[in-house]
Amino acid sequence: MKKLIALFMLTGMLISPVITKAQDASEEASAGDTTEMMEEAAAPAPDPAPVVTDDEVVVEEQPFHQIIKDKFIEGDPTFMTPVLICLILGLAVALERIITLNLATTNTKKLLAKVEDALDQGGIEAAKDVTKSTKGPVASIFTQGLMRYSEGIEMVEKSIIAYGSVEMGRLEKGLVWISLFISLAPMLGFMGTVIGMIGAFDSIEAAGDISPSLVAGGIKIALLTTVAGLIVAIILQLFYNYCVAKIDSLVNDMEDASITLVDILVKHKLTK
């Protein structure tokens, strides 16, 4: 019995260092894993990679003149060129009329004061010199009225009325062309629309099937030509209305100044 107990004690003494070493190794491994986990937690997380989807398409902005050029070509130059010609000719006439009407504007109050002073100091001839040296339709009407002064006030009034109609016709010169281009541009656009639709239906008839790809080209030409014609008409209409308003203003000035001139001549004749 004593021998058996001694054997157990000896076996325990031999196994104890092995168990101790195993526990130490297990603790070291556990500490290493804990250190690695702490280092991974302390390390900054990498930035997420940008996600690019197939639906995202990068579109470059084009300049305005390039867009206009592309639409002009897409609308078929055969139909767009006449509309462009209407715009160019209409703008040329409108700008010429605007410049002429602005140059024809006269300060009527200042002109009437000069005429009255000239009549008091030098008579009719001095007044004629003042009106002849002044530009504008009002001064031209005054000159015609003063030239008829010797025939009486009634002839002066008739001369002013007759020559006023002539000057008004000169002011309205060219407006009929602007009006023509305003009417013609949408008509040309609509003609391109009709021709484009006819081409679309011809494509449908030839293919024997209605497909968006067949009619898209013709419908696109139709819409672009219509839009172009309407834009040209709107632009020219603005210039036309400005010219008409300017002419109305000049005509009103001529009428008021003519009445005042007759009154001045009557006063001069009575005081002569």
Side-chain angles (χ1 to χ4, degrees):
M1 185 67 181
K2 292 181 180 180
K3 291 181 179 180
L4 183 60
I5 292 171
L7 181 61
F8 281 135
M9 292 177 64
L10 181 61
T11 303
M13 293 176 64
L14 293 175
I15 294 175
S16 177
V18 176
I19 295 173
T20 303
K21 289 182 180 180
Q23 290 178 351
D24 294 339
S26 176
E27 290 178 357
E28 290 179 358
S30 176
D33 293 340
T34 305
T35 304
E36 290 179 357
M37 292 176 63
M38 293 178 64
E39 290 179 354
E40 290 178 357
D47 296 334
V51 179
V52 180
T53 61
D54 296 336
D55 296 336
E56 294 181 356
V57 179
V58 179
V59 179
E60 296 181 358
E61 294 184 358
Q62 294 181 344
F64 180 73
H65 69 276
Q66 185 64 37
I67 296 174
I68 297 296
K69 181 180 177 181
D70 294 340
K71 296 301 180 183
F72 182 87
I73 296 173
E74 291 175 1
D76 194 345
T78 304
F79 305 116
M80 300 290 281
T81 300
V83 177
L84 179 61
I85 292 173
C86 289
L87 176 62
I88 294 173
L89 295 178
L91 286 177
V93 177
L95 293 176
E96 185 273 333
R97 283 290 88 198
I98 290 173
I99 294 172
T100 302
L101 294 174
N102 286 323
L103 292 176
T105 304
T106 307
N107 190 340
T108 55
K109 293 182 179 180
K110 186 177 180 181
L111 178 60
L112 287 168
K114 288 183 179 180
V115 170
E116 189 172 6
D117 292 339
L119 284 172
D120 295 337
Q121 297 176 5
I124 296 297
E125 295 300 326
K128 287 182 184 179
D129 293 337
V130 172
T131 56
K132 288 180 181 179
S133 62
T134 305
K135 295 181 180 180
V138 177
S140 299
I141 292 173
F142 284 5
T143 302
Q144 294 297 321
L146 293 172
M147 290 175 64
R148 299 285 183 173
Y149 179 76
S150 60
E151 300 177 12
I153 298 299
E154 292 182 0
M155 289 301 298
V156 172
E157 292 178 353
K158 291 180 180 180
S159 177
I160 288 175
I161 293 172
Y163 202 72
S165 300
V166 174
E167 288 294 331
M168 185 175 177
R170 290 178 179 176
L171 293 175
E172 293 178 347
K173 180 182 178 182
L175 291 184
V176 65
W177 292 106
I178 303 177
S179 179
L180 173 64
F181 294 132
I182 290 172
S183 302
L184 192 59
M187 291 182 183
L188 292 173
F190 292 145
M191 184 177 69
T193 300
V194 174
I195 294 175
M197 295 301 293
I198 291 173
F201 283 109
D202 287 342
S203 300
I204 294 173
E205 183 180 6
D209 185 18
I210 298 177
S211 175
S213 60
L214 293 175
V215 299
I219 294 176
K220 188 174 186 179
I221 293 174
L223 296 177
L224 288 175
T225 53
T226 302
V227 170
L230 293 175
I231 290 174
V232 170
I234 291 171
I235 294 173
L236 296 180
Q237 186 68 51
L238 295 175
F239 284 97
Y240 178 83
N241 288 350
Y242 174 83
C243 292
V244 170
K246 190 69 175 178
I247 291 171
D248 291 340
S249 177
L250 290 172
V251 170
N252 290 331
D253 289 341
M254 286 191 295
E255 292 176 352
D256 293 340
S258 299
I259 294 171
T260 306
L261 176 64
V262 172
D263 294 338
I264 292 172
L265 292 176
V266 172
K267 180 182 177 181
H268 176 73
K269 189 173 183 179
L270 292 174
T271 58
K272 185 176 178 181

